[in-house]
Amino acid sequence: NAGVMQNPRHLVRRRGQEARLRCSPVKGHSHVYWYRQLPEEGLKFMVYLQKENIIDESGMPKERFSAEFPKEGPSILRIQQVVRGDSAAYFCASSPRQGRLPYEQYFGPGTRLTVT
Amino acid sequence: AQTVTQSQPEMSVQEAETVTLSCTYDTSESDYYLFWYKQPPSRQMILVIRQEAYKQQNATENRFSVNFQKAAKSFSLKISDSQLGDAAMYFCAYRSAANTDKLIFGTGTRLQVFP
């Protein structure tokens, strides 16, 4: 069984460029979460999506960041006009459903974004 | 808002010995879940153990066990018979049972294991 896949694993962008990070959840999972990990810090929640819907974007910066999870295809985290402070590891996780049971969030290997 | 605190930035243990990593959290909720994740140098996040707040019994997974003190809002991880492969960053995480299931992470504890 394929786990959560993220690509690219490493991404280098110059200041002002756009970064597009892709996440393919575990097959059959319809819930996706994006987290950001700054150097020497824990993961910080950014956004929670279901297919075609944003459920919770309370952790997303108000500007330059957007996320989508279309009916077909991977989830995309898009960062426009990147700045040096966006340099971080971005992790995607997926789970099969929301509910009282603590469904595990399966994490991908992360994308390390470096802004030069 | 809920917070998770890990007060030990680094810990070390001798191979085959036991080590305990601390985690405290703050919440006004009565129903929630707690997790310990391991992040080795590969950066892959691996779930080590989970605990439901409504369960009094402490969770165990092989060499890993927790000491869950709900009143004290404490959730420590004990690793027995430590192995070299246990060396990693360990993150404590909180998830509300009432809200969306986003995870709130602590800042992590780096565990070194010496032969």
Side-chain angles (χ1 to χ4, degrees), chain B residues 22-93:
Chain B
S22 301
C23 173
T24 58
Y25 57 94
D26 190 25
T27 184
S28 58
E29 298 177 329
S30 59
D31 199 8
Y32 49 86
Y33 308 102
L34 296 164
F35 305 85
W36 278 98
Y37 279 88
K38 171 184 178 181
Q39 187 179 43
S42 67
R43 290 191 289 119
Q44 179 75 49
M45 295 291 285
I46 302 164
L47 179 65
V48 175
I49 199 165
R50 70 167 67 85
Q51 174 80 42
E52 293 90 338
Y54 61 85
K55 289 187 178 177
Q56 292 188 335
Q57 188 171 9
N58 289 324
T60 62
E61 286 287 341
N62 301 313
R63 297 183 295 107
F64 298 88
S65 62
V66 298
N67 183 6
F68 173 48
Q69 303 287 330
K70 191 172 184 179
K73 296 179 184 173
S74 170
F75 182 61
S76 60
L77 174 69
K78 185 169 90 170
I79 306 174
S80 304
D81 187 26
S82 297
Q83 300 175 359
L84 295 176
D86 294 333
M89 283 291 288
Y90 286 82
F91 292 98
C92 179

Side-chain angles (χ1 to χ4, degrees), chain A residues 55-88:
Chain A
I55 307 301
D56 180 356
E57 56 182 347
S58 57
M60 284 276 271
K62 294 285 184 272
E63 296 176 353
R64 303 188 297 108
F65 285 73
S66 62
E68 62 176 10
F69 188 18
K71 189 175 180 181
E72 302 290 337
S75 176
I76 306 285
L77 179 67
R78 183 180 176 210
I79 311 171
Q80 294 178 289
Q81 299 175 324
V82 296
V83 300
R84 287 233 172 96
D86 297 333
S87 295

